[in-house]
Amino acid sequence: MSEVKENILATLAYFDMFNYPLTRAEVYVFLKKKHPYDEFEHALRCLTANSAIHQFDRFYTLKKDHYPIIRRNDGNKKAAELIKVAEKVGNILIRFPYVRGIAISGSLSKNFADEFSDIDLFIITAKNRLWVARTIMHCFKKLTYLMNKEHYFCMNYYVDEQQLEIAEKNIYTAIEIGTLIPLQGDLVFEQFYMENAWTRNFLPNKNMRVATAKPVKTAFFKRVIEFLLFNRIGNAIDNMLMKITSGRWAKKTRDKMQNSHGLIMGMATGKHFSKPDPKNFQHKLLAKYENKVFDILRENENSLAL
C-alpha cells in the first residue's frame, strides 16, 4: 500500500510544479507503476483522509488551496478554444514540403491555456529533409508577425522519420510524448509511438492518442518542391541549412540571449532533430521534481505507513 501512495504523491508532485491539479482518472493514468485500480482508489482515500492530499470537487492536489481549481477550469475552457485554432494551423502547415506529422505539445496538449499561451507544435519531417522543411516553415512564420499571429505557429521541436526515437528518456519526456495531441499524420505517429515504447516504463497506464491525427494530404506546392529536391542538391541544401541554423543558435547561447520566459536561448541540433536544449529547462525541472518528491515523502512518512 505504501508504494501506491508514494506513486500518487509523486504524480501530484510533478503536476504541482505547474500548479495543475488532477482528476482521479488523471492521477491513475500518470502513475509511474501499474497498480490494481481498487488498491489505487483505497490509497487515494487514505491520503485524502489523512490530509496528505486535498480534494476539491473532482480534483486532487497537494495544496490546501481552491485557487488552482479555478485556474484549471478557466484554463481548460481557453484550451478548448485554442485547440480549434491549432487544428486550423495544422491544416495549413501539413501542406509544407517534407512535413509528415504535426502534433500539439506544451501546456496546450495538457488541455490548459491562458492569455499568454502559444500554440506549441511538434513536427515530424521526411528523413534527411528536416532542415529544408524547418527553414521554409520558419520563413512563413516571419510573415505571421505582420498579422500578430506568430504565437499560433511555435514550431519548436522537430524530428525526422529517420530518427523518431527521443534520446532523453525520463519522466518529463515521457509525459510530453504521452500528452501530445496528433493533428496530422496518422501513420507516422503510429510509427513514432512504436519507436518510443520506452515511455511505458514511466507511464504504464497511458494510452497514446493516434486516433486524433488525420491522414496526410499532398498539396501541389509540396509535390513540386519535393520532386525538385529529390537529389544530391537537396542533400547539400539540407546540410547547409543545418550548419547555418546551428551556428546562429550557438551564438545566441554564447551571448546569453533570453527568451520571453527569461531563459537563456539554446537549441540542440543534429541531422535528424532540432529541439530546445535540454540543459536550459529539462535538467533543472527534473532536479526540482526529485527534490520535491523527496520532501513530500519525508513530510508524509506517517501517512505512508498506515
Side-chain angles (χ1 to χ4, degrees):
M1 181 60 67
S2 63
E3 184 182 35
V4 64
K5 288 179 180 178
E6 289 178 9
N7 288 335
I8 290 171
L9 289 171
T11 299
L12 289 171
Y14 183 89
F15 287 91
D16 186 71
M17 294 190 297
F18 302 95
N19 202 24
Y20 197 74
L22 299 177
T23 64
R24 179 192 304 263
E26 289 168 342
V27 175
Y28 185 74
V29 162
F30 290 107
L31 288 179
K32 62 182 179 180
K33 289 189 178 179
K34 265 191 174 296
H35 297 281
Y37 195 78
D38 58 344
E39 183 180 322
F40 159 75
E41 282 201 315
H42 180 63
L44 197 66
R45 287 194 298 269
C46 288
L47 289 171
T48 306
N50 293 324
S51 297
I53 63 177
H54 305 280
Q55 182 180 6
F56 296 94
D57 191 18
R58 62 193 182 97
F59 297 108
Y60 294 85
T61 175
L62 296 177
K63 297 186 179 80
K64 194 175 183 180
D65 182 2
H66 193 260
Y67 173 73
I69 312 304
I70 298 172
R71 177 180 178 272
R72 167 159 180 179
N73 283 327
D74 290 342
N76 290 165
K77 291 176 184 176
K78 288 186 175 68
E81 298 170 2
L82 202 55
I83 286 173
K84 293 178 182 178
V85 178
E87 291 171 350
K88 295 178 181 178
V89 169
N91 289 336
I92 295 171
L93 295 180
I94 196 62
R95 301 173 185 274
F96 281 61
Y98 301 113
V99 179
R100 299 293 185 261
I102 300 172
I104 300 171
S105 61
S107 61
L108 187 57
S109 70
K110 283 83 174 170
N111 197 32
F112 181 84
D114 58 25
E115 62 270 27
F116 305 108
S117 291
D118 300 324
I119 296 178
D120 293 319
L121 297 170
F122 177 86
I123 310 294
I124 299 176
T125 73
K127 70 175 184 178
N128 299 323
R129 289 296 183 271
L130 184 152
W131 293 97
V132 172
R134 185 186 185 281
T135 301
I136 295 173
M137 295 174 83
H138 279 259
C139 286
F140 169 77
K141 181 176 179 178
K142 292 185 183 299
L143 298 177
T144 66
Y145 281 87
L146 300 175
M147 300 175 288
N148 196 31
K149 300 292 185 183
E150 69 278 4
H151 54 289
Y152 291 161
F153 296 87
C154 296
M155 298 87 67
N156 54 14
Y157 203 124
Y158 288 78
V159 296
D160 78 0
E161 293 176 305
Q162 180 70 23
Q163 190 174 310
L164 292 173
E165 184 179 6
I166 302 301
E168 298 84 17
K169 297 176 174 60
N170 52 58
I171 185 63
Y172 171 76
T173 51
I175 288 177
E176 292 304 299
I177 291 170
T179 55
L180 287 174
I181 304 177
L183 298 174
Q184 300 281 344
D186 54 347
L187 297 181
V188 76
F189 271 103
E190 284 186 11
Q191 186 62 34
F192 172 78
Y193 287 130
M194 287 176 59
E195 294 290 333
N196 289 283
W198 59 265
T199 57
R200 291 289 185 186
N201 297 328
F202 295 91
L203 301 173
N205 299 318
K206 186 75 177 72
N207 292 322
M208 305 307 173
R209 294 184 282 188
V210 180
T212 59
K214 298 177 182 177
V216 175
K217 294 182 180 179
T218 304
F220 176 74
F221 169 69
K222 184 172 188 169
R223 290 198 302 269
V224 169
I225 297 297
E226 292 187 7
F227 174 77
L228 293 175
L229 296 181
F230 187 65
N231 48 43
R232 293 181 181 178
I233 295 175
N235 294 335
I237 291 174
D238 195 78
N239 291 332
M240 178 188 68
L241 292 173
M242 178 182 69
K243 184 176 180 180
I244 291 172
T245 307
S246 299
R248 184 183 303 127
W249 273 92
K251 185 178 186 305
K252 290 180 181 181
T253 304
R254 286 194 304 270
D255 294 343
K256 297 185 177 179
M257 294 181 62
Q258 296 183 352
N259 61 18
S260 58
H261 302 290
L263 298 173
I264 295 176
M265 299 176 72
M267 185 171 73
T269 60
K271 180 64 175 173
H272 307 293
F273 64 87
S274 169
K275 60 189 178 184
D277 191 338
K279 298 190 295 294
N280 287 357
F281 175 74
Q282 193 179 130
H283 293 175
K284 294 178 182 178
L285 180 79
L286 291 172
K288 180 181 177 182
Y289 170 63
E290 290 177 5
N291 291 333
K292 190 174 184 70
V293 171
F294 177 82
D295 290 340
I296 289 170
L297 295 182
R298 185 176 59 183
E299 290 170 7
N300 291 281
E301 285 179 341
N302 293 334
S303 296
L304 293 171
L306 295 175

